[in-house]
Amino acid sequence: MAKDMLEKGAISQRDGKTFAVAPHIPGGIIDVAGLRKIADIAEKYNAQALKLTSAQRIAIVGIKPEDLDNLWDDLQMKPAHAAGLCVRSVKICPGTTFCKKGQQDSVGIGLKLDEKNYGKELPSKLKIGVSGCLNSCSEHIIKDIGIVGTSKGWNITVGGSAGLKPRLGVTLNENLSDEEALDTVDRIIEYYKRHSKKKRLGEFIDEIGFEKFKAEIQ
């Protein structure tokens, strides 16, 4: 069975021979030329399928190991962080950029967070979701750091996760401006990076206590 090759952004597949890669698409927003390029390169390397992921990426499935380097070269991208102990792609809803129900600019703030944090090495994986309204299309409440827009600003939740130990995030702050929300996320990530050891953010908060964590972040 082939092993994941994280340095190439390659995840081993069920057949034990091929890999899937997921080019980074910030916020899941891509133009027609970019989409066509991914399709053309997937065809060139005889991909078995293209799979839309829950992290707003397009996984290219069924790539031979000897083709991985050339595939990334053709994409003109560095290998993406589809796995590993780092900040994953920031999940973003359409917000006020596109959606009539959006109350805050989730695309604007989400892309800033992605640009600054995507791939940053941490004690464990960390997922961020930004929703422009309480409909929560980015599922912010089950992310390590969740940001949701209301008519009064941004609310931030921490400690959510899905997977084997699902849990909802707990509200840390409410009614923040864009700048305050970005600054709060910076402080959360830096504090977590300095103090945690191989635990998801929610488990780390449980260990030290939510009130202590909140006091340290404020």
Side-chain angles (χ1 to χ4, degrees):
M1 175 66 72
K3 296 182 179 180
D4 296 344
M5 292 191 285
L6 299 185
E7 74 281 2
K8 297 179 183 290
I11 307 301
S12 62
Q13 298 299 285
R14 191 177 183 89
D15 61 14
K17 300 177 182 179
T18 65
F19 294 82
V21 299
H24 185 49
I25 303 174
I29 301 169
I30 189 169
D31 61 19
V32 173
L35 190 62
R36 184 176 291 116
K37 185 176 186 178
I38 289 174
D40 288 344
I41 290 171
E43 185 175 47
K44 175 179 178 179
Y45 292 103
N46 299 308
Q48 296 172 12
L50 293 173
K51 173 70 173 70
L52 301 180
T53 77
S54 60
Q56 300 178 327
R57 298 185 293 250
I58 300 174
I60 306 174
V61 180
I63 301 301
K64 296 176 182 178
E66 61 267 26
D67 290 333
L68 289 169
D69 290 336
N70 289 334
L71 181 145
W72 287 116
D73 286 344
D74 287 350
L75 286 170
Q76 297 178 304
M77 291 182 177
K78 295 180 180 179
H81 303 280
L85 307 182
C86 63
V87 179
R88 305 293 179 80
S89 300
V90 177
K91 191 169 184 177
I92 306 169
C93 82
T96 53
T97 305
F98 301 110
C99 181
K100 65 182 180 181
K101 294 183 179 180
Q103 293 187 305
Q104 297 293 334
D105 181 15
S106 55
V107 171
I109 195 172
L111 291 177
K112 288 178 181 178
L113 287 168
D114 190 273
E115 181 179 8
K116 184 172 185 177
N117 296 294
Y118 171 68
K120 184 177 290 184
E121 293 184 3
L122 292 175
S124 183
K125 65 181 176 182
L126 187 139
K127 297 184 178 182
I128 302 172
V130 186
S131 296
C133 78
L134 292 173
N135 281 340
S136 185
C137 291
S138 73
E139 301 172 329
H140 72 278
I141 200 66
I142 56 169
K143 298 295 188 283
D144 297 275
I145 302 174
I147 308 169
V148 59
T150 72
S151 60
K152 297 181 180 180
W154 296 104
N155 296 347
I156 294 183
T157 59
V158 292
S161 66
L164 295 176
K165 298 179 180 179
R167 56 188 290 162
L168 300 179
V170 179
T171 299
L172 180 72
N173 294 104
E174 295 180 308
N175 306 328
L176 302 181
S177 67
D178 286 7
E179 292 73 19
E180 289 170 333
L182 290 167
D183 181 63
T184 299
V185 173
D186 283 347
R187 284 185 278 119
I188 292 170
I189 291 174
E190 288 307 310
Y191 184 81
Y192 173 60
K193 183 177 182 178
R194 291 197 309 269
H195 294 90
S196 182
K197 294 181 180 179
K198 296 184 178 180
K199 292 185 177 182
R200 289 288 292 270
L201 180 61
E203 294 174 321
F204 169 63
I205 292 172
D206 287 346
E207 183 179 72
I208 67 171
F210 177 74
E211 293 305 322
K212 174 178 172 60
F213 178 79
K214 184 174 182 178
E216 294 283 352
I217 297 301
Q218 305 298 10

